[in-house]
Amino acid sequence: MEPTSTSVSSFIDGVASPVRRRDAQTLVALMARITGEQPAMWGPSIVGFGSYHYKYASGREGDAGAAAFSPRKDATTVYLPDGVDTYTEQLSRLGDHKTGAGCLYIKDLAKVDLDILGGIIAESYRRVTAETPGS
């Protein structure tokens, strides 16, 4: 996947849910501060910061945002490319969320500890960019 030329601000302005829109604005500020990168759209609905290169055992490889999120209908998805299992202790203190293999699903950022979330994002970003040559 590659970043697109779509405006991140326009995308966020078009998010129907006021809670998801507010959370998207909060995550843009948080991830920009953590990564030192400007946001970019990766595909039609993912806001990413920086990039990393991945390669699966199957041989499939590509690039993706090193820190990223998407304001989905049911919850905001925060992507953790190094997986959620690394953050078991932090997630136990995060607040209201659900997890997938590489995703956090958060319905309302007001119900989580943003310092803990920021720490998780920072560590994940550091790990995946350290593994990407030239980042």
Side-chain angles (χ1 to χ4, degrees):
M1 190 180 313
E2 302 231 354
T4 70
S5 60
T6 303
S7 162
V8 171
S9 297
S10 294
F11 168 71
I12 291 173
D13 288 346
V15 172
S17 164
V19 171
R20 300 283 178 281
R21 189 169 48 253
R22 178 206 66 204
D23 289 356
Q25 292 164 342
T26 300
L27 285 170
V28 164
L30 180 70
M31 289 184 175
R33 180 179 53 78
I34 288 168
T35 66
E37 302 278 354
Q38 291 299 308
M41 294 301 301
W42 288 75
S45 63
I46 297 174
V47 179
F49 298 78
S51 66
Y52 79 103
H53 188 77
Y54 61 86
K55 186 171 184 177
Y56 298 130
S58 67
R60 182 172 177 230
E61 61 184 295
D63 296 302
F69 73 91
S70 183
R72 306 286 185 187
K73 182 180 179 183
D74 290 336
T76 296
T77 302
V78 176
Y79 298 97
L80 299 174
D82 56 337
V84 298
D85 292 342
T86 305
Y87 306 101
T88 303
E89 192 277 324
Q90 296 98 317
L91 291 172
S92 71
R93 299 180 289 117
L94 179 62
D96 192 22
H97 72 282
K98 293 184 179 181
T99 60
C103 302
L104 292 178
Y105 303 104
I106 301 171
K107 289 186 182 256
D108 188 345
L109 282 182
K111 295 181 179 179
V112 300
D113 186 319
L114 288 180
D115 289 336
I116 292 172
L117 179 60
I120 293 168
I121 293 168
E123 180 63 16
S124 178
Y125 178 80
R126 185 193 64 76
R127 286 172 185 253
V128 300
T129 57
E131 296 170 6
T132 301
S135 50

